[in-house]
Every structure is written in C-alpha cells, then in structure tokens.
Amino acid sequence: MQLTPTERDRLLLFTAAELARSRHARGLRLNLPEATALIADTVCEAARDGARLAAAVARGRAVLGPDDVLPGVVDVLTEINVEAVFDDGSRLAVIADPFGAAEAAHAAGPADPAHATAADRAPGAVLPAPDPAGDPEPTHTVRVRNTAPVPVSVTSHFHFFEANPRLEFDRSAAYGTHLAVPAGSSVRFDPGATVEVPLVPIGGARIAIGFAGLVDGPLDAPGAKAEALRRAAACGYLGAAPDGQEARS
C-alpha cells in the first residue's frame, strides 16, 4: 500500500495515541509524548466525525486533566498544534492549555503572585500577571455573504480584507482588521449564508505580508489602502469598491 508522507504521519500519531490510551486505561499517568499524541489524535478523530474546529479543539482539551499526566507535563505542554482534516478541508487546530488548567485557575479566582502557594512558586512555574487591557473589543462588524457553492472558513488572524474573493462584504471597512475571535479558531461561511462578523484592528507593527498578496507591506503606508482596493477590484474580489464609492451589498 502506497502512503503519502502525511498519511504516514497520521498513522504514526494514531499508533502513539493508541499506546497512550492503553496505558491511561491501566491507570498510568502519561508522559509528554503520550499526552501530546492522545490529545492531538482526539482532535483529528473529532474532525473525522464531522465536528467543527472549535468543537474538535474542545474535545481534545477535555480528554486529559492535570492528574492524568506525570509531574511537570502540564507546565511544559502548554499548546499543541495539529493539522486535521475537516469536512471543508485541512486546517491547523491549535489546542491552547490542553489540560484545561486555565479554566480551573479562573474558577479558583484571579491569579495573584503575592498569594501564590509554594507549589505555584516551584522552579519553572508560570505566574501570569493580570492583563489590565483585557481582550480587545471589536471595533465594528461587517455583513458577509458567501456567494461560493462551497463553505469558506476564515481563521482568526487572517487579514479579513484579503479573505476569499467569493465572500461579498465591504472590503474597505475590513481593511487592516482580523476577526475578533479566539486565536486559532475560525468562522465558517456556508454557501449562500449571510453572517455578521466582528472585526478588530491588526496590532503590532501592522505589516501584512502574504495572505492574498493584496498589500504585502505596511497597512498604514500612504496610498496602501487605495492600492489594495484597486488590486482587489482588478482580481474580482466582491465588495472591493475604491474608497469614496459604495461597496457592493
């Protein structure tokens, strides 16, 4: 039987996960590779069952708790990335805090380094300070219609202005923004569906490289937005009316 490198990697992951399941069923606490394989395989199987990205990630985060792994694993394994095959194609699933420790800490109250226990102060322990700014609030929403005959998914930090050309929305209003959804997640637009999505400005140095190649440089450079709108309109992106003209609705 001929297998592609991706198929071989998937079988290797499944084999490691089966070993982890067997040991977990015998009451053994899992080591780092075993826990990684079991959580990643759970996400892949959830995708194969037809689950959406968020549901698959949630299933992966629920399979193991801190008491199911050897000491130190929770501190080391803080994020797992695995490419899973969903009904609408392959996507990268990002399982942050794979043991649900963040929810447990939140339920116990806000972290306060001044009142940390001796266990919290163990070597290598992470004591995050409260974020005074909190999560960024959406600045506005756009109404998006999928004119394509297939579902379209847009990930959290994709420059939304450059999203699939068959998505019809006000591209000018979406310039320099990404979806206001948790990092690593995505929004799915079913064929013919119209959805309102929240947007938040891209932060940092605000440089967009790659994506659909409509900007490839600083977002706020003089003339960058007008040139990006011109390129989008020339390439047939729906809703890409130049500034000062009404976008298609």
Side-chain angles (χ1 to χ4, degrees), residues 4 12 22 33 37-38 50 62 80 121 127 146-147 161 196:
T4 66
L12 179 61
S22 173
L38 180 52
I80 298 172
R121 296 192 182 97
L127 302 176
N146 181 11
T147 68
F161 169 84
E196 284 195 357

Side-chain angles (χ1 to χ4, degrees), residues 99-162:
F99 303 102
E103 281 75 4
H106 180 74
D112 184 357
H115 296 89
T117 65
D120 293 329
R121 296 192 182 97
V126 178
L127 302 176
D131 180 5
D135 293 332
E137 292 293 329
T139 56
H140 60 286
T141 62
V142 293
R143 191 174 181 85
V144 183
R145 182 169 70 93
N146 181 11
T147 68
V150 296
V152 174
S153 292
V154 181
T155 52
S156 58
H157 281 63
F158 194 91
H159 183 204
F160 200 74
F161 169 84
E162 302 182 63

Side-chain angles (χ1 to χ4, degrees), residues 52-69:
R52 300 282 182 88
L53 176 60
V57 169
R59 195 181 300 183
R61 295 182 74 246
V63 71
L64 293 175
D67 294 335
D68 297 316
V69 295

Side-chain angles (χ1 to χ4, degrees), residues 3 13 89 91 114 120 134 164 174 184 221 243:
L3 297 174
L13 175 62
R91 277 184 283 161
D120 293 329
N164 192 294
D243 270 343

